[in-house]
Amino acid sequence: MSGTLYLCPTPIGNLEDITFRVISTLKSVDLIAAEDTRHTIKLLNHFEINTPLTSYYEHNKRHKGTLLLDRLLRGENIAIVSDAGTPGISDPGEDMVRLCVENEIEVIALPGATAVTVALTASGLPTGRFAFEGFLTTNKKNRRAHLEGVKDDTRTLIFYEAPHKLKSTLADMLEAFGDRDIVIARELTKKFEEVNRTTITAAIEKYEEVTPKGEFVLVIEGFVGDGVLDVPIDQSRIESELKRLIEQGLSGNEAAKVIAKEYSLPKREVYAIYLEISKD
Ligand code: SAM
């Protein structure tokens, strides 16, 4: 009889976020396949888990996947762990699961930590419908295409991002989405955890001053306003309203927000008008 593949989430920062079930599974399986064995050994030592460990990562997953499959077919039970969070979520795991499904091997996914749901549920943005978009690529053209592809999506959007790419990602997002509410969730479950509920423009301003450090999840409001307005925008009226509010001391972002709400307009369109008049 074949064995079982267990997907075991590990903490994304705080070691207490491992589950009892993950610990007992890691203790009972025949083998643990880890993204980085040097990283995982520390976790195993902490929880006094002595199960044999092997590597399973992006660049050995084809060859290693076949070896793991052989062992599963011979009846061994194997757990997959990544460096942090849930295997298969922007981490190795997906291919191994597919291989098991194709070979009728039982797959059991254990619940546990993942940065995407922690960030989403803390964000204060709608959670009813959301789209996890993973990482943007480094290739400028593909990044733009990715963002363009989701700009009209009304669901809350969630991206993972590395600190050194955060500034350029925010700039690309402003270009593709216009200004929107964004929640920047940083170092979740760790000592310097921060959930910054802000706008894309305000975040860009912040990171002009502060160097981004740590791990980031970006949660962005979905497209609002599609179909809200069936008549063309009265541009001159919006312009004079914007000017009036700015004279009263509101920032461009704040003024656009007020007017968008008042006239049931997409905020990014009002902000685009503000950008036009602020050039004059
Ligand atoms: N498998 C992981 C999961 O389930 O969340 C994701 C692994 S992916 C390689 C790493 C990315 O996840 C980071 O660049 C960051 O975007 C996000 N991430 C992981 N841990 C985080 C944390 N503690 N706080 C904020 N973001 C985190």
Side-chain angles (χ1 to χ4, degrees), residues 39-246:
H39 183 91
T40 298
I41 194 76
K42 294 180 199 150
L43 185 85
L44 300 189
N45 287 341
H46 182 85
F47 291 105
E48 298 175 356
I49 298 166
N50 301 312
T51 309
L53 196 56
T54 191
S55 67
Y56 177 77
Y57 53 90
E58 191 53 36
H59 299 291
N60 78 351
K61 68 183 181 188
R62 279 188 65 164
H63 165 69
K64 209 50 185 280
T66 317
L67 296 179
L68 295 178
L69 178 67
D70 275 352
R71 294 183 68 157
L72 285 159
L73 287 168
R74 279 191 265 124
E76 292 188 34
N77 294 321
I78 298 178
I80 288 208
V81 299
S82 62
D83 285 355
T86 299
I89 301 296
S90 295
D91 263 345
E94 178 186 328
D95 298 270
M96 195 60 221
V97 171
R98 195 176 309 114
L99 202 57
C100 287
V101 171
E102 283 164 7
N103 287 275
E104 295 180 4
I105 304 269
E106 185 181 31
V107 177
I108 296 186
L110 277 63
T114 182
V116 51
T117 49
V118 180
L120 172 69
T121 50
S123 70
L125 292 173
T127 57
R129 298 184 68 212
F130 62 90
F132 175 56
E133 294 297 319
F135 287 98
L136 291 169
T137 63
T138 39
N139 175 293
K140 195 94 188 139
K141 202 169 140 217
N142 294 347
R143 287 162 73 78
R144 292 234 168 105
H146 186 159
L147 293 172
E148 281 297 313
V150 293
K151 78 174 182 352
D152 295 327
D153 196 325
T154 53
R155 294 173 295 178
T156 300
L157 302 173
I158 307 163
F159 293 86
Y160 281 171
E161 195 46 286
H164 64 281
K165 289 199 292 172
L166 181 72
K167 283 169 73 171
S168 63
T169 291
L170 289 170
D172 287 348
M173 284 177 169
L174 181 65
E175 199 176 315
F177 301 155
D179 202 17
R180 284 194 194 177
D181 286 341
I182 184 169
V183 177
I184 304 193
R186 191 177 81 86
E187 294 289 89
L188 292 166
T189 79
K190 301 185 196 176
K191 189 173 175 192
F192 297 108
E193 169 164 343
E194 185 180 64
V195 178
N196 181 17
R197 299 176 184 86
T198 182
T199 59
I200 298 179
T201 44
I204 289 173
E205 278 168 29
K206 172 178 172 170
Y207 289 107
E208 287 304 323
E209 309 289 325
V210 179
T211 306
K213 282 192 194 129
E215 298 197 274
F216 290 88
V217 182
L218 311 179
V219 188
I220 298 150
E221 72 171 330
F223 176 63
V224 278
D226 204 13
V228 172
L229 193 77
D230 293 332
V231 290
I233 297 176
D234 181 348
Q235 173 113 3
S236 60
R237 183 163 185 182
I238 300 297
E239 280 178 13
S240 58
E241 288 279 308
L242 277 168
K243 283 179 187 158
R244 182 176 61 78
L245 290 176
I246 286 160

